[in-house]
Amino acid sequence: MTHHILTMPISAAQARTLRVGDTVTLQHRLFGIRDASYIALFDKGRTTRLDLQGHAVIHTAPNVRRVAPGPGQPAGYQPVCIGTTTSSRMERFTRQLMQQLGVRLIIGKGGMHAGSLAAFQELGGAYLAIVGGTAALETTWIEEIEDVDLDDLNPESLWQFRIRDFGPLLVGMDSHGRSLYEDVDQEVARRQAAVLQTLGVA
């Protein structure tokens, strides 16, 4: 296992160096996205002025405070608590996110499924898992909210964060066809079969 420090944005080749079980710390920039912003972009045909090419997104609808724009708060927002939500319900958007906006990495909880794994393999990307319940810690990794788009969807806007030492995050799915979540499912099935066999109901 290797620890990677990635200054965003990154290339497909850099994304392909990540393997399940590695850890990652991100620097420079991160984008927040969630259900409503996905639907607006990929179901309703809206566009964004933000450049996500080569970047990472995190599944979040952050708790923020509106303030007067100024030094340290150029978008007119301060982060209050920026946590992470479950990723699986956003599964259907992964390929479009990568093909149309150039995103390389997705950060979330709980993993994603076969469609996302195929997109990571074909396009060069990875899923980075974050520990649930760590929103207070995550918020300390965000230095400021640099910009925001689709803000009529607030808090499920498209957020641009300036970050420092965001991580470590665990590579849960990679571009080589590996998924930590599939590994766990297979191990659970194996153990279940063994238990049922000992009970004589297999």
Side-chain angles (χ1 to χ4, degrees), residues 49-179:
R49 58 182 171 76
L50 302 183
D51 182 7
L52 279 67
Q53 186 72 38
H55 281 284
V57 299
I58 184 168
H59 289 151
T60 186
N63 185 352
V64 297
R65 178 186 299 113
R66 192 180 291 274
V67 295
Q73 48 207 28
Y77 286 105
Q78 284 181 336
V80 176
C81 187
I82 300 179
T84 312
T85 192
T86 302
S87 298
S88 60
R89 65 179 183 275
M90 292 168 268
E91 166 73 17
R92 69 186 179 93
F93 299 111
T94 300
R95 183 172 294 277
Q96 290 168 289
L97 183 68
M98 297 181 71
Q99 287 181 327
Q100 296 181 31
L101 298 184
V103 167
R104 291 287 165 208
L105 305 174
I106 296 175
I107 303 168
K109 295 189 301 189
M112 303 187 83
H113 305 291
S116 293
L117 191 60
F120 295 146
Q121 286 183 270
E122 295 168 29
L123 303 171
Y127 180 86
L128 307 181
I130 197 162
V131 176
T134 59
L137 177 60
E138 290 173 52
T139 306
T140 68
W141 301 336
I142 295 174
E143 295 191 310
E144 72 177 27
I145 299 172
E146 294 183 315
D147 206 346
V148 59
D149 197 13
L150 308 179
D151 205 24
D152 56 302
L153 306 175
N154 190 301
E156 298 191 30
S157 311
L158 186 60
W159 301 92
Q160 180 176 310
F161 304 124
R162 180 162 58 84
I163 57 171
R164 182 178 180 183
D165 298 335
F166 198 97
L169 310 167
L170 178 67
V171 180
M173 301 170 72
D174 64 25
S175 62
H176 307 282
R178 284 285 312 282
S179 169

